[in-house]
Amino acid sequence: MTVLFSDIRNFIGLSERMTPDENFAFINAYLARMGPVIRQHGGFIDKYIGDAIMALFEQADDALGTGLAMMDTLVAYNAERRAAGALPIGIGIGINSGSLMLGTIGEADRMDGTVISDAVNLASRIESLTKTYGIGLLISQDTYEQLSDPKAWDIRPIDVVVVKGKTRPVILYEVFERNEPAERDRKRRTRDLLMSGIAALAKHDVAAARRQFEQCLAELPGDPAATSLLQRCA
């Protein structure tokens, strides 16, 4: 299955300025908008963890579509918040696919249904990395490969990392479908170069990968994806 984690950016800072009642009203108002979006796209909400949401999907395309729909819903919610004199909020979304086990955990007087697997942990780690890269939506290589037509989406590799608690390198992909049109156009032009470089890295052909990333920087100076991936070649 595909696991989606989402989290409100700087929630602790926001909550410090609110009373307990205001905190509950804020979280519930946010979840009341995001929960239906997840269900409309075929998702199952496994749990709410404070301001965070964990949801499960049978299809990777549905999970990715949900992530984009959540970003659209956030734009509308922030418009409401500004109209009411409140500050806008940001969210981060991480998506990963893999095998998992659904079951119950707990003891005689308290049990919960949940899923446990490495895929779940990695989805959570990927969501936390959205803060590091300043990107709203990140997906893993496993999710990218599960999409029915990856090129139908605006996606490009952004880095190869060893996530905290893991030993296997993970290719992270940025979903830039909701970027400004001009920025989307720039990223589309260099996407194939980044993909070729990633393919070369997978074959341990570092020299070829470096050439692709350097060409990308020549066409799009300062591009953070090409910069990060070129550093990996070292």
Side-chain angles (χ1 to χ4, degrees):
M1 298 186 76
T2 297
V3 185
L4 178 151
F5 266 91
S6 73
D7 199 17
I8 297 177
R9 296 269 173 83
N10 193 32
F11 176 71
I12 293 175
L14 288 168
S15 64
E16 285 177 345
R17 297 193 290 271
M18 293 186 279
T19 66
D21 283 350
E22 289 170 339
N23 260 303
F24 273 100
F26 164 60
I27 292 175
N28 286 330
Y30 167 76
L31 296 178
R33 288 161 175 79
M34 296 301 175
V37 172
I38 293 170
R39 287 187 289 272
Q40 287 163 10
H41 287 78
F44 170 78
I45 297 173
D46 181 82
K47 60 171 68 71
Y48 297 124
I49 312 166
D51 62 300
I53 304 172
M54 174 182 164
L56 308 173
F57 298 82
E58 288 189 34
Q59 304 296 327
D61 293 82
D62 291 338
L64 182 49
T66 296
L68 292 169
M70 289 173 71
M71 296 174 77
D72 294 338
T73 300
L74 183 68
V75 171
Y77 180 44
N78 278 333
E80 294 177 26
R81 288 179 58 81
R82 289 190 186 93
L87 292 173
I89 63 171
I91 62 173
I93 300 171
I95 302 175
N96 182 48
S97 303
S99 299
L100 52 83
M101 177 174 285
L102 174 65
T104 54
I105 60 171
E107 38 78 31
D109 294 319
R110 166 71 186 199
M111 289 198 297
D112 281 324
T114 191
V115 291
I116 296 177
S117 81
D118 184 64
V120 174
N121 298 333
L122 184 53
S124 176
R125 296 282 191 274
I126 291 171
E127 185 281 317
S128 69
L129 287 171
T130 61
K131 305 180 187 74
T132 302
Y133 295 98
I135 290 170
L137 178 51
L138 288 174
I139 68 172
S140 68
Q141 172 79 17
D142 290 330
T143 294
Y144 181 83
E145 292 175 350
Q146 289 292 321
L147 295 172
S148 57
D149 182 6
K151 291 191 175 181
W153 309 83
D154 283 332
I155 300 172
R156 66 178 194 151
I158 191 166
D159 207 350
V160 181
V161 299
V162 177
V163 179
K164 182 180 178 181
K166 309 296 178 186
T167 57
R168 181 173 63 90
V170 177
I171 302 173
L172 297 179
Y173 288 80
E174 170 194 13
V175 181
F176 59 95
E177 195 134 336
R178 292 299 184 267
N179 286 181
E180 293 297 321
E183 187 175 4
R184 286 175 65 189
D185 203 43
R186 287 194 297 270
K187 290 180 177 180
R188 282 172 179 164
R189 290 202 307 269
T190 56
R191 175 170 50 187
D192 288 345
L193 289 170
L194 294 176
M195 294 298 290
S196 297
I198 285 290
L201 278 181
K203 297 176 182 177
H204 306 290
D205 189 347
V206 178
R210 185 181 290 112
R211 286 195 297 272
Q212 298 297 320
F213 301 143
E214 287 174 346
Q215 186 177 342
C216 180
L217 282 172
E219 295 192 22
L220 191 59
D223 179 53
T227 301
S228 297
L229 290 165
L230 188 58
Q231 290 172 351
R232 299 304 172 210
C233 292

